[in-house]
Amino acid sequence: MKRKSLQGAACPVARTLDLIGDWWSLLIIRDALDGIRRFSDFQKNLDIAKNMLSARLKALVEQGIMQTVPAADGGAYKEYVLTERGKALQTVIVALSQWGGEFMYEAGETGSVMVDAQNRQPIRKLELVAADGRVLAPEDVATRLAVEH
Amino acid sequence: MKRKSLQGAACPVARTLDLIGDWWSLLIIRDALDGIRRFSDFQKNLDIAKNMLSARLKALVEQGIMQTVPAADGGAYKEYVLTERGKALQTVIVALSQWGGEFMYEAGETGSVMVDAQNRQPIRKLELVAADGRVLAPEDVATRLAVEH
DNA sequence: CCGTATCCATTCCGATACTG
DNA sequence: CAGTATCGGAATGGATACGG
């Protein structure tokens, strides 16, 4: 039996997971955000099988999340970079990173953190903010079906 | 061949995806954040096979993301609710939802949005903010290995 | 160096049947 | 209603070999 497609779902979470909700895509995007561009660099860094990496990159390009460009150094091979759409996934990566940093490490264990590139200081924790600027707790956020008016 | 475990990775994104990076976990958590607590409600809402749901819930409980509690109505069966750790994943869900809302819908198509429970107004888009309060663009954020000092 | 193609074990996932 | 057990087809992912 085939896994259902979630593209018809009303929930944008479901549609998004349908694109990037697998084991590798978000890790590839994380590396791409870190400046990795070449096939072999992704492969070494992720320790992913080459056929898997090939398939994932192809899918990400088809979905408009990444695109191929000529090599920056004038080499013969193409490189993979994020589109604007792909870059916008950084919020998701940061959310995952902050949660993991908070809950997945023992005391004294070192992990990596997201920092302000200018001064290398960690960025603030993401916050849920209401339209009027109040910071919201998890319980204060609900889901509503969007309707035109 | 078995899939590698990412638990030893230095990157918190990898560790987190190792826990919840599969197709169903985040959807279950999204429903739980929406107030769904009972096995059959998850099952109907997600249209997931019962054995899959059973396995996922068990894993989420083992990982400390959900916990079982006696039924709120005094019924004989337990219910599944998020722990604090699980509720903290709301940022991830919101990030996915906002990205999906922006990039996965045609004009005029309706999806659901995250709103302030008090006044039903959509919440603000998540922002990457530096320690000193500046809003950062994707390019202004880097990854740094955290070190004790 | 950059990938593609093929093989195979493992895992995933849905359908169905069953217990309490 | 709340799960567990089992089965089989499909997809995943790693190793290896191969071609541009």
Side-chain angles (χ1 to χ4, degrees):
Chain A
M1 306 301 163
K2 204 171 171 320
R3 195 183 57 236
K4 295 180 206 351
S5 162
L6 300 169
Q7 287 312 315
C11 175
V13 178
R15 291 201 189 185
T16 304
L17 287 175
D18 204 42
L19 283 195
I20 54 160
D22 66 279
W23 293 95
W24 290 115
S25 294
L26 279 169
L27 291 172
I28 292 171
I29 292 163
R30 177 206 57 170
D31 277 11
L33 282 166
D34 262 7
I36 298 205
R37 308 162 67 97
R38 309 182 61 137
F39 189 92
S40 61
D41 290 335
F42 283 111
Q43 206 237 320
K44 280 194 287 268
N45 209 46
L46 293 169
D47 197 20
I48 183 180
K50 289 202 291 184
N51 52 351
M52 285 292 103
L53 178 58
S54 178
R56 293 299 175 202
L57 286 172
K58 191 174 297 179
L60 289 170
V61 168
E62 278 169 8
Q63 289 154 186
I65 291 172
M66 301 191 80
Q67 63 189 127
T68 54
V69 298
D73 60 359
Y77 299 102
K78 59 193 172 185
E79 299 185 343
Y80 297 87
V81 296
L82 293 166
T83 61
E84 287 307 307
R85 199 177 177 195
K87 285 183 195 166
L89 283 166
Q90 181 150 22
T91 346
V92 176
I93 304 281
V94 169
L96 287 167
S97 175
Q98 292 186 340
W99 188 90
E102 190 170 348
F103 294 103
M104 295 297 291
Y105 285 84
E106 309 291 332
E109 197 182 6
T110 68
S112 52
V113 291
M114 300 288 189
V115 298
D116 176 356
Q118 287 186 24
N119 58 17
R120 314 294 289 172
Q121 290 305 302
I123 65 174
R124 286 192 194 170
K125 216 167 136 18
L126 292 173
E127 288 179 334
L128 306 173
V129 183
D132 57 18
R134 279 173 301 122
V135 175
L136 300 169
E139 295 79 18
D140 297 329
V141 176
T143 304
R144 176 166 66 79
L145 211 66
V147 286
E148 326 289 298
H149 56 268
Chain B
M1 310 305 164
K2 204 170 175 318
R3 195 184 56 235
K4 292 180 207 355
S5 162
L6 300 169
Q7 287 312 315
C11 175
V13 177
R15 292 201 188 185
T16 304
L17 287 174
D18 203 42
L19 282 195
I20 54 161
D22 67 278
W23 293 94
W24 291 115
S25 295
L26 280 169
L27 291 172
I28 292 172
I29 292 164
R30 176 205 57 172
D31 277 12
L33 282 166
D34 261 8
I36 298 206
R37 309 164 64 98
R38 310 183 58 136
F39 190 94
S40 63
D41 290 335
F42 283 111
Q43 205 237 318
K44 281 195 287 268
N45 209 46
L46 293 169
D47 197 21
I48 182 180
K50 289 204 289 183
N51 52 353
M52 284 293 101
L53 178 57
S54 179
R56 294 296 176 207
L57 286 172
K58 192 174 297 181
L60 289 171
V61 169
E62 279 168 7
Q63 291 157 1
I65 291 173
M66 303 191 79
Q67 64 191 125
T68 54
V69 298
D73 60 0
Y77 299 103
K78 59 192 173 185
E79 300 185 339
Y80 298 86
V81 298
L82 292 166
T83 60
E84 287 308 309
R85 199 177 178 194
K87 284 182 196 168
L89 284 165
Q90 181 148 23
T91 344
V92 176
I93 304 282
V94 169
L96 288 166
S97 175
Q98 291 185 341
W99 189 87
E102 189 169 348
F103 294 103
M104 295 296 292
Y105 286 84
E106 309 291 332
E109 195 182 7
T110 68
S112 53
V113 291
M114 300 289 189
V115 298
D116 177 354
Q118 286 187 25
N119 59 16
R120 313 295 290 172
Q121 291 304 303
I123 65 175
R124 286 193 194 167
K125 215 162 137 22
L126 291 173
E127 288 179 334
L128 305 174
V129 183
D132 58 18
R134 278 173 300 123
V135 175
L136 300 169
E139 294 80 17
D140 298 329
V141 176
T143 304
R144 175 166 67 80
L145 211 65
V147 285
E148 327 290 295
H149 56 270

